[in-house]
Amino acid sequence: MTTNIPDDHPRAASLRTREAMKDAVAAGLVHPTGLIAHGRGEAFDYLLGERTPPEAREAVAEAARLLRAAKQPVLSLNGNVVALAARQAVAVQKAFPRLVLEVNLFHRTPERVEALVAVVEAAGATKGSVLGRAPDFRIPNLSSDRALCSKAGLGGSDVVVVPLEDGDRCQALVAMGKTVIAIDLNPLSRTAVAAHVTIVDELTRALPALAAALKTSSPGAVGGTYDNADVLRRVKARMAAGLGA
Ligand code: ATP
């Protein structure tokens, strides 16, 4: 059931997203704890003034460069990511067709995986192209069901994009030698710190920026100057300044 949100409400967009998340919980797409993760993201987005910071643009450019040079690039999808941005995730894949989409869940049930794959297909992904239904690989040293994935996707990937990731899996992916690109509004999270590239931006802004960068960046673009710790330091300073401290 959708509540009536007046168009002139100053927080209408945010309230509509909350309604959509609530509906996604009712539909079994998002685990109830996903609402808490969403709220944490909202709080950090407030500190950014709900605008993409320049540091996120730097991170997006580096992410596009790494993805273009990858052998098996993958974008990992969880319940929140699909509920918030299935369309934008598919647009990234269309911009960069070698990118594999894989559903990967902490609270995993076959029904939830099926439902999420169906939403991504309805958003435009080629039928049968979204992995996640038939895991044949386990990420080592990770006891949760997020360890379950596919060799043709996350298991065999060299560069992975992990939006709204939990720190344990991010660290496990880094420990496997993968290059990890996080999208996370919290620059203090274990994920943000462990990833090689952290895009500190809201998911529905970050994915279109990544799609645009993938269309324009060349695989041979020279890297080597990107410093994720410095990017995080500057974005934290920006948030602190936003608080007026
Ligand atoms: P960690 O385990 O990495 O220390 P955590 O416990 O916050 O962090 P989760 O709750 O699993 O991990 O991850 C959710 C993360 O996603 C949070 O850091 C939150 O700020 C971020 N997040 C939530 N919604 C969005 C969004 N729409 N766009 C970008 N980031 C978001």
Side-chain angles (χ1 to χ4, degrees):
M1 189 190 71
T2 303
T3 316
N4 193 20
I5 300 164
D7 284 342
D8 61 353
H9 190 289
R11 308 278 317 148
S14 162
L15 295 182
R16 285 200 191 97
T17 303
R18 288 183 182 183
E19 285 291 324
M21 291 299 282
K22 181 203 73 177
D23 292 347
V25 171
L29 296 171
V30 169
H31 190 268
T33 57
L35 297 178
I36 300 168
H38 180 71
R40 180 174 287 174
E42 280 190 335
F44 279 99
D45 206 17
Y46 242 89
L47 299 181
L48 285 179
E50 296 174 316
R51 278 194 304 272
T52 299
E55 294 76 19
R57 292 188 221 287
E58 288 174 46
V60 161
E62 178 68 359
R65 192 186 69 78
L66 292 168
L67 286 165
R68 293 288 297 257
K71 289 196 186 70
Q72 191 168 310
V74 175
L75 170 58
S76 180
L77 306 172
N78 64 26
N80 280 38
V81 173
V82 172
L84 290 167
R87 193 172 44 80
Q88 293 89 336
V90 171
V92 176
Q93 199 274 331
K94 299 278 183 212
F96 182 53
R98 289 200 299 118
L99 185 72
V100 176
L101 302 180
E102 178 162 2
V103 170
N104 177 269
L105 303 175
F106 188 87
H107 300 282
R108 182 189 172 91
T109 65
E111 296 75 22
R112 245 190 107 208
V113 176
E114 279 302 328
L116 290 166
V117 168
V119 171
V120 182
E121 288 181 351
T126 306
K127 223 170 166 35
S129 70
V130 182
L131 302 182
R133 291 183 179 109
D136 58 1
F137 191 88
R138 270 202 86 93
I139 297 167
N141 304 315
L142 193 62
S143 50
S144 77
D145 274 356
R146 292 212 85 176
L148 295 171
C149 59
S150 315
K151 268 189 231 139
L154 288 159
S157 64
D158 53 343
V159 180
V160 293
V161 185
V162 289
L164 287 51
E165 182 62 76
D166 72 272
D168 287 3
R169 197 175 73 125
C170 182
Q171 286 163 352
L173 291 169
V174 170
M176 283 178 82
K178 298 183 190 301
T179 299
V180 178
I181 299 160
I183 302 175
D184 191 331
L185 277 160
N186 177 4
L188 304 168
S189 74
R190 292 174 305 156
T191 298
V193 173
H196 297 99
V197 175
T198 308
I199 302 168
V200 181
D201 199 8
E202 204 282 321
L203 182 66
T204 61
R205 298 194 300 264
L207 289 178
L210 186 58
L214 281 164
K215 279 187 195 153
T216 54
S217 75
S218 70
V222 184
T225 56
Y226 180 85
D227 178 347
N228 205 46
D230 184 55
V231 162
L232 290 175
R233 186 185 56 70
R234 283 186 279 129
V235 85
K236 281 188 278 188
R238 185 177 296 282
M239 286 178 172
L243 280 169

